[in-house]
């Protein structure tokens, strides 16, 4: 089967641009068509992908800026296959949400009213192309370009459609991420020029060639630090999360669903795609530092999620903790089980957190607030909504039988074999997750009906978005093995671990 990755990459942007030129009533439909085509392409990739091979498939490799050694190079392997599918699924869900739900109030608006609806749809389509580009890129400069491009649409989405103090939120988001991105750009240029990885020592930014011609240990260290800072800010990880509280409070919920679901994963993916293969010595040198930062993210994020009452911030700090677990798995160096678990957790966290943000929008309609202290008793007349919420909440708790359990199980296996003390302390984050998520669910759905709460169930349009996502969560929990099978050869190549973990069934 011939699959052209450029169609997958640019179709969402093309359709969103077309929608911006059409009457405003057609813009959400154009965005949805572009997202659905990308989703269909990613599903074809899942079925057509040849498992058991560590190399790239569906490669596009053309000269772009020949004088600088930069190429337009795209490819799919076990590291990005399921992340691409996750990205297209969540963007399709957000596009569908915008299409089926016209804006009600400023705080629940899926887009803006009037002419700005077209701009909202355009920025969301641009964001999908930017994320897919970062995941598919096999040239380091191309990766940096798409990584930086991700910031542009969210600058406008927060600045124009955000709520509360959106100016401060936009400023922090831009400053934090731009500092990391500029450092990463300088590090990427230095890597290509210093390595001389191309034919006859010519400058090349091909990730495969850079991995085969590693830098000296001293050069690796400072370049590693620049990349790591950019990725840790994007995730975000403690203590580089300063932009997160204001950003999560202000961002429109359909945009926040994809931001938390997929953009944060690009930072973690960058460690596997760029850092470990290209700077292996520095990764070993900084392993303990990164593991301690990841452990701090788990403990700090879990503690903050337990003390927050705003649903957005509960999920935001929960994401900080979950990304800490993912980082632990990635830097359980030499243990493929840890990296396998990290990839599984990336997909599972994205599947879980996106519907939770849509559920927040539904709770806001029923309670007039995003604060769990103002909620209560919503389940009284909303059994379907409460059941969907319960399934998604349980999916975050690492309960046996969930994909979250399988991912954390593999991460802890890898970590126990390398850093036992850190693994034991990290396990407390699993227990804390059950506390803050069940607390949020019970306060929102049960107890006495809150003042001003109007309990009513979801309608068909809400079900069109939530039910498919919940079904995917259940399917992924029942059979995560396919994702493990697809990623095993590439993970073994990148991490160099001795274990073959694809046959592990937690």
């Amino acid at each position: 089967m011939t699959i052209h990755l450029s169609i997958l990459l640019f179709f969402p942007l093309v359709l969103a641009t077309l929608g911006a030129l059409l009457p405003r009533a057609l813009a959400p439909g154009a965005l949805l068509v572009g997202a659905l085509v990308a989703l269909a392409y990613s599903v074809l990739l899942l079925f057509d992908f040849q498992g058991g091979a560590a190399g790239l498939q569906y490669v596009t490799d053309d000269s772009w800026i020949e004088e600088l050694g930069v190429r337009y190079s795209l490819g799919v392997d076990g590291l990005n296959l399921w992340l691409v599918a996750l990205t297209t699924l969540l963007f399709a869900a957000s596009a569908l949400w915008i299409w089926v739900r016209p804006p009600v109030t400023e705080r629940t608006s899926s887009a803006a009213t009037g002419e700005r609806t077209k701009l909202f749809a355009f920025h969301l389509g641009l964001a999908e192309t930017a994320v897919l580009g970062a995941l598919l890129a096999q040239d380091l400069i191309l990766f940096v370009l798409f990584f930086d491009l991700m910031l542009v649409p969210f600058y406008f989405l927060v600045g124009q459609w955000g709520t509360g103090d959106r100016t401060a939120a936009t400023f922090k988001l831009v400053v934090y991420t731009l500092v990391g991105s500029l450092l990463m750009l300088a590090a990427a240029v230095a890597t290509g020029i210093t390595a001389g990885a191309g034919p006859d020592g010519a400058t090349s930014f091909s990730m495969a060639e850079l991995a085969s011609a590693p830098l000296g240990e001293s050069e690796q260290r400072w370049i590693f630090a620049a990349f790591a800072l950019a990725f840790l800010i994007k995730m975000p990880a403690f203590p580089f999360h300063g932009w997160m509280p204001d950003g999560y409070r202000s961002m429109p919920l359909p945009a926040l669903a994809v931001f938390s679901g997929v953009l944060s994963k690009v930072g973690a993916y960058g460690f596997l795609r760029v850092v470990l293969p290209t700077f292996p010595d520095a990764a070993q040198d900084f392993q303990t530092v990164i593991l301690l930062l990841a452990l701090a993210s788990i403990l700090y994020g879990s503690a903050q999620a337990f003390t927050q009452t705003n649903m957005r911030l509960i999920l935001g700090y929960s994401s900080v903790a979950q990304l800490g677990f993912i980082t632990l798995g990635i830097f359980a160096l030499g243990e493929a089980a840890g990296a396998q678990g990290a990839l599984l957790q990336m997909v599972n966290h994205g599947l879980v957190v996106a519907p939770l943000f849509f559920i927040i929008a539904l709770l806001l309609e029923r309670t007039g607030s995003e604060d769990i202290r103002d909620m209560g008793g919503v389940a009284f007349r909303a059994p379907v909504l409460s059941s969907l919420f319960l399934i998604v909440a349980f999916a975050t708790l690492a309960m046996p039988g969930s994909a979250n359990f399988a991912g954390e199980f593999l991460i802890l296996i890898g970590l126990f074999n390398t850093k036992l003390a850190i693994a034991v302390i990290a396990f407390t984050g699993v227990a804390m997750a059950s506390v803050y998520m069940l607390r949020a669910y019970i306060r929102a759905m049960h107890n006495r009906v809150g003042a001003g709460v109007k309990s009513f169930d979801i309608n068909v349009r809400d079900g069109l978005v939530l039910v498919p996502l919940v079904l995917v969560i259940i399917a992924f929990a029942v059979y995560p093995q396919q994702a493990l099978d697809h990623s095993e050869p590439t993970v073994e190549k990148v991490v160099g671990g001795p274990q073959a973990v694809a046959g592990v069934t937690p």
Side-chain angles (χ1 to χ4, degrees), residues 438-474:
L438 289 177
R439 166 177 169 264
Y441 175 80
I442 293 171
R443 290 292 297 269
M445 306 306 294
H446 297 297
N447 298 335
R448 184 176 300 176
V449 177
V453 172
K454 297 179 181 178
S455 178
F456 56 94
D457 220 336
I458 63 172
N459 53 33
V460 173
R461 64 178 183 176
D462 302 329
L464 286 175
V465 179
L466 286 179
V467 172
L469 290 176
V470 171
L471 291 177
V472 173
I473 291 173
I474 295 173

Side-chain angles (χ1 to χ4, degrees), residues 182-455:
L182 291 176
L183 286 174
M184 184 172 65
L185 175 60
V189 173
T191 301
I193 293 175
T194 306
D200 302 322
T203 300
S204 172
F205 295 96
S206 166
M207 293 183 186
E209 293 179 357
L210 291 174
S212 64
L215 301 174
E217 189 171 348
S218 60
E219 291 92 346
Q220 284 190 34
R221 287 175 178 171
W222 75 265
I223 295 177
F224 172 95
F227 275 103
L229 180 62
F231 296 150
L232 292 172
I233 290 173
K234 182 70 72 176
M235 292 169 70
F238 177 86
F240 309 106
H241 68 291
W243 62 267
M244 188 277 292
D246 288 334
Y248 271 57
R249 283 193 194 100
S250 300
M251 199 174 298
L253 285 168
L256 185 53
V258 294
F259 188 95
S260 183
V262 295
L263 265 77
S264 60
K265 310 306 178 298
V266 178
Y269 166 79
F271 279 117
L272 286 171
R273 175 63 71 191
V274 178
V275 170
L276 297 191
T278 312
F279 316 113
D281 295 332
Q284 289 285 351
D285 293 341
F286 284 95
Q287 180 189 23
T288 301
V289 174
I290 299 296
L291 289 177
L292 290 176
L293 288 175
L295 183 61
S297 296
I298 294 171
L299 300 178
Y300 174 81
S302 299
Q304 285 291 332
F306 179 71
T307 60
Q308 297 296 322
T309 59
N310 184 288
M311 286 287 286
R312 290 179 183 236
L313 292 184
I314 292 173
L315 297 183
Y317 284 110
S318 171
S319 296
V320 172
Q322 290 297 319
L323 268 296
F325 262 107
I326 290 169
T327 306
L328 287 182
I330 293 172
F331 278 87
L333 301 179
E335 294 292 335
Q340 288 275 79
L343 280 172
L344 199 62
Q345 278 295 87
M346 290 186 213
V347 178
N348 186 68
H349 178 260
L351 289 175
V352 168
V353 76
L356 284 173
F357 283 113
F358 294 133
I359 289 172
I360 290 176
L362 299 179
L363 293 175
L364 180 58
E365 288 183 347
R366 290 153 176 79
T367 65
S369 174
E370 295 174 353
D371 195 309
I372 60 175
R373 294 173 295 182
D374 300 326
M375 300 178 185
V378 174
F380 180 62
R381 296 185 183 276
V384 177
L385 174 60
S386 63
S387 298
L388 295 175
F389 191 0
L390 183 63
I391 293 172
V392 178
F394 276 176
T396 68
L397 305 184
M399 296 181 63
S402 68
N404 207 355
F405 172 78
E408 292 186 3
F409 180 81
L410 288 170
I411 288 173
L412 291 174
I413 285 179
L415 203 57
F416 269 115
N417 292 329
T418 54
K419 301 288 183 179
L420 178 60
I422 291 178
V424 172
I425 299 173
F427 186 76
T428 61
V430 178
M432 296 176 73
S434 63
V435 174
Y436 61 71
M437 188 52 63
L438 289 177
R439 166 177 169 264
Y441 175 80
I442 293 171
R443 290 292 297 269
M445 306 306 294
H446 297 297
N447 298 335
R448 184 176 300 176
V449 177
V453 172
K454 297 179 181 178
S455 178

Side-chain angles (χ1 to χ4, degrees), residues 39-63:
L39 176 59
Y41 246 71
S42 67
V43 172
L44 286 177
L45 288 177
L46 291 179
F47 282 101
D48 191 61
F49 186 82
Q50 301 299 313
L56 292 169
Q57 301 179 35
Y58 318 111
V59 175
T60 297
D61 187 19
D62 298 313
S63 178

Side-chain angles (χ1 to χ4, degrees), residues 476-492:
F476 199 66
V478 171
Y479 190 68
Q481 190 67 42
Q482 192 62 52
L484 295 174
D485 291 340
H486 282 157
S487 62
E488 178 194 4
T490 310
V491 168
E492 290 280 353

